[in-house]
Amino acid sequence: MNLPADASPNLLGALALLVGSRMRSSVSASVGAGGALAEALVVLKDQPGVTAEWLGQVLGLTQPGVAHLVRRLREQGWVERRPGADARSRALHLTTDGMAAAAGILHSRQEALTALLAPLTSEQRRQLEDIARTLLQDEVTDDRSLAHLCRLCDRARCPQCPVHAGYRELTGD
Protein backbone atom coordinates (compact mmCIF):
# COMPACT_ATOMS: atom_id res chain seq x y z
CA MET A 1 0.00 0.00 0.00
CA ASN A 2 1.42 3.37 -1.00
CA LEU A 3 0.47 5.87 1.74
CA PRO A 4 1.36 9.57 1.92
CA ALA A 5 3.77 10.73 4.60
CA ASP A 6 1.03 11.31 7.20
CA ALA A 7 -1.48 8.52 6.95
CA SER A 8 -2.59 8.88 10.58
CA PRO A 9 -5.90 10.67 9.84
CA ASN A 10 -6.88 8.05 7.29
CA LEU A 11 -5.81 5.16 9.52
CA LEU A 12 -7.67 6.68 12.48
CA GLY A 13 -10.81 6.87 10.34
CA ALA A 14 -10.52 3.22 9.32
CA LEU A 15 -9.81 2.20 12.92
CA ALA A 16 -12.87 4.15 14.13
CA LEU A 17 -15.05 2.26 11.65
CA LEU A 18 -13.58 -1.09 12.73
CA VAL A 19 -14.05 -0.36 16.44
CA GLY A 20 -17.58 0.94 15.87
CA SER A 21 -18.52 -2.09 13.81
CA ARG A 22 -17.19 -4.54 16.40
CA MET A 23 -18.97 -2.71 19.22
CA ARG A 24 -22.28 -2.55 17.33
CA SER A 25 -22.12 -6.24 16.51
CA SER A 26 -21.34 -7.31 20.06
CA VAL A 27 -23.94 -5.02 21.62
CA SER A 28 -26.64 -6.05 19.15
CA ALA A 29 -25.95 -9.73 19.76
CA SER A 30 -26.15 -9.21 23.50
CA VAL A 31 -29.72 -7.87 23.60
CA GLY A 32 -31.06 -8.86 20.21
CA ALA A 33 -31.15 -5.23 19.13
CA GLY A 34 -28.58 -2.53 18.92
CA GLY A 35 -28.35 1.15 18.41
CA ALA A 36 -30.41 3.36 20.64
CA LEU A 37 -31.98 0.49 22.59
CA ALA A 38 -28.66 -0.80 23.88
CA GLU A 39 -27.25 2.69 24.36
CA ALA A 40 -30.32 3.69 26.39
CA LEU A 41 -29.83 0.75 28.74
CA VAL A 42 -26.24 1.72 29.48
CA VAL A 43 -27.10 5.42 29.83
CA LEU A 44 -29.95 4.64 32.24
CA LYS A 45 -27.69 2.33 34.25
CA ASP A 46 -25.34 5.24 34.86
CA GLN A 47 -27.95 8.04 34.94
CA PRO A 48 -31.02 6.64 36.73
CA GLY A 49 -33.96 8.96 37.02
CA VAL A 50 -33.45 11.04 33.88
CA THR A 51 -36.42 12.04 31.76
CA ALA A 52 -37.24 10.68 28.32
CA GLU A 53 -36.51 14.14 26.91
CA TRP A 54 -33.00 14.14 28.40
CA LEU A 55 -32.39 10.58 27.16
CA GLY A 56 -33.53 11.56 23.66
CA GLN A 57 -31.14 14.50 23.59
CA VAL A 58 -28.22 12.33 24.70
CA LEU A 59 -29.00 9.69 22.06
CA GLY A 60 -29.84 12.21 19.33
CA LEU A 61 -33.46 11.11 18.95
CA THR A 62 -36.54 13.09 18.05
CA GLN A 63 -39.46 13.22 20.47
CA PRO A 64 -41.37 10.50 18.58
CA GLY A 65 -38.17 8.43 18.39
CA VAL A 66 -37.55 8.55 22.12
CA ALA A 67 -41.23 7.82 22.84
CA HIS A 68 -40.95 4.69 20.68
CA LEU A 69 -37.66 3.75 22.37
CA VAL A 70 -39.10 4.10 25.89
CA ARG A 71 -42.14 2.05 24.84
CA ARG A 72 -39.84 -0.73 23.56
CA LEU A 73 -37.76 -0.63 26.74
CA ARG A 74 -40.92 -0.91 28.86
CA GLU A 75 -42.31 -3.74 26.68
CA GLN A 76 -39.08 -5.68 27.25
CA GLY A 77 -39.50 -5.15 30.99
CA TRP A 78 -36.22 -3.24 31.19
CA VAL A 79 -37.47 0.23 32.21
CA GLU A 80 -40.09 1.62 34.52
CA ARG A 81 -41.38 5.15 34.87
CA ARG A 82 -41.53 6.76 38.30
CA PRO A 83 -42.54 10.24 39.45
CA GLY A 84 -39.95 12.78 38.40
CA ALA A 85 -38.47 15.91 39.94
CA ASP A 86 -41.66 17.88 39.30
CA ALA A 87 -45.33 16.99 38.94
CA ARG A 88 -45.18 16.82 35.14
CA SER A 89 -42.03 14.78 34.64
CA ARG A 90 -41.52 11.03 34.72
CA ALA A 91 -38.16 9.56 35.70
CA LEU A 92 -36.81 6.51 33.90
CA HIS A 93 -35.26 3.71 35.94
CA LEU A 94 -33.96 0.30 34.95
CA THR A 95 -35.67 -2.74 36.36
CA THR A 96 -33.68 -5.70 37.63
CA ASP A 97 -33.95 -7.22 34.15
CA GLY A 98 -32.83 -3.91 32.64
CA MET A 99 -29.76 -3.85 34.89
CA ALA A 100 -28.94 -7.41 33.81
CA ALA A 101 -29.34 -6.47 30.14
CA ALA A 102 -27.07 -3.43 30.59
CA ALA A 103 -24.47 -5.62 32.31
CA GLY A 104 -24.67 -8.09 29.42
CA ILE A 105 -24.14 -5.29 26.91
CA LEU A 106 -21.07 -4.03 28.73
CA HIS A 107 -19.68 -7.56 29.08
CA SER A 108 -20.11 -8.25 25.35
CA ARG A 109 -18.58 -4.89 24.47
CA GLN A 110 -15.59 -5.57 26.73
CA GLU A 111 -15.01 -8.99 25.15
CA ALA A 112 -15.16 -7.58 21.61
CA LEU A 113 -12.81 -4.70 22.35
CA THR A 114 -10.39 -6.91 24.30
CA ALA A 115 -10.23 -9.28 21.32
CA LEU A 116 -9.54 -6.34 19.03
CA LEU A 117 -6.62 -5.26 21.22
CA ALA A 118 -5.15 -8.77 21.53
CA PRO A 119 -2.42 -8.26 18.88
CA LEU A 120 -0.99 -5.28 20.79
CA THR A 121 1.87 -5.54 23.25
CA SER A 122 1.50 -4.16 26.78
CA GLU A 123 3.55 -1.13 25.75
CA GLN A 124 1.37 -0.50 22.69
CA ARG A 125 -1.77 -0.73 24.85
CA ARG A 126 -0.31 1.80 27.29
CA GLN A 127 0.52 4.10 24.37
CA LEU A 128 -3.01 3.71 23.01
CA GLU A 129 -4.41 4.65 26.44
CA ASP A 130 -2.25 7.79 26.50
CA ILE A 131 -3.28 8.77 22.98
CA ALA A 132 -6.96 8.15 23.68
CA ARG A 133 -6.82 10.18 26.90
CA THR A 134 -5.21 13.09 25.05
CA LEU A 135 -7.78 13.02 22.23
CA LEU A 136 -10.79 12.63 24.53
CA GLN A 137 -9.95 15.11 27.29
CA ASP A 138 -11.35 18.24 25.65
CA GLU A 139 -14.33 16.82 23.81
CA VAL A 140 -17.22 17.64 26.14
CA THR A 141 -19.03 20.93 26.52
CA ASP A 142 -21.86 20.03 28.91
CA ASP A 143 -23.39 17.13 30.84
CA ARG A 144 -25.32 15.89 27.78
CA SER A 145 -22.24 15.77 25.57
CA LEU A 146 -20.47 13.89 28.38
CA ALA A 147 -23.31 11.36 28.52
CA HIS A 148 -23.40 11.15 24.71
CA LEU A 149 -19.70 10.42 24.33
CA CYS A 150 -19.71 7.86 27.16
CA ARG A 151 -23.07 6.30 26.28
CA LEU A 152 -21.59 2.82 25.85
CA CYS A 153 -18.74 3.10 28.34
CA ASP A 154 -18.27 0.78 31.26
CA ARG A 155 -17.51 3.50 33.77
CA ALA A 156 -16.24 1.01 36.34
CA ARG A 157 -13.34 0.13 34.02
CA CYS A 158 -12.21 3.71 33.55
CA PRO A 159 -11.95 5.32 36.99
CA GLN A 160 -9.65 8.05 35.66
CA CYS A 161 -11.98 8.93 32.78
CA PRO A 162 -10.38 11.62 30.61
CA VAL A 163 -13.76 12.71 29.27
CA HIS A 164 -15.13 13.32 32.76
CA ALA A 165 -11.86 14.98 33.81
CA GLY A 166 -12.15 17.36 30.87
CA TYR A 167 -15.76 18.10 31.84
CA ARG A 168 -14.75 18.82 35.45
CA GLU A 169 -12.01 21.12 34.20
CA LEU A 170 -14.48 22.94 31.94
CA THR A 171 -17.14 23.38 34.62
CA GLY A 172 -14.85 23.85 37.61
CA ASP A 173 -16.48 20.93 39.48
Side-chain angles (χ1 to χ4, degrees), residues 79 86 97 99-100 111 114 119 133 139 144 152 167-168:
V79 167
D86 59 47
D97 288 347
M99 290 295 283
E111 283 184 341
T114 298
R133 287 181 187 286
E139 286 303 310
R144 286 189 175 101
L152 277 175
Y167 174 70
R168 284 195 319 264

Side-chain angles (χ1 to χ4, degrees), residues 16-27:
L17 291 174
L18 174 64
V19 171
S21 177
R22 296 274 176 98
M23 278 197 337
R24 274 189 306 279
S25 294
S26 68
V27 163

Side-chain angles (χ1 to χ4, degrees), residues 34-50:
L37 189 77
E39 291 173 6
L41 287 165
V42 175
V43 168
L44 292 173
K45 177 186 106 26
D46 292 324
Q47 308 282 330
V50 299

Side-chain angles (χ1 to χ4, degrees), residues 15 29 164:
L15 179 60
H164 193 252

Side-chain angles (χ1 to χ4, degrees), residues 17-90:
L17 291 174
L18 174 64
V19 171
S21 177
R22 296 274 176 98
M23 278 197 337
R24 274 189 306 279
S25 294
S26 68
V27 163
S28 295
S30 174
V31 291
L37 189 77
E39 291 173 6
L41 287 165
V42 175
V43 168
L44 292 173
K45 177 186 106 26
D46 292 324
Q47 308 282 330
V50 299
T51 64
E53 177 187 10
W54 187 90
L55 181 64
Q57 290 173 355
V58 167
L59 300 180
L61 299 174
T62 63
Q63 190 282 326
V66 76
H68 177 69
L69 174 67
V70 170
R71 186 177 68 250
R72 287 182 60 204
L73 289 166
R74 291 182 70 208
E75 287 170 355
Q76 292 290 329
W78 291 334
V79 167
E80 62 185 13
R81 288 183 167 160
R82 298 181 191 163
D86 59 47
R88 297 178 336 171
S89 68
R90 303 290 287 163

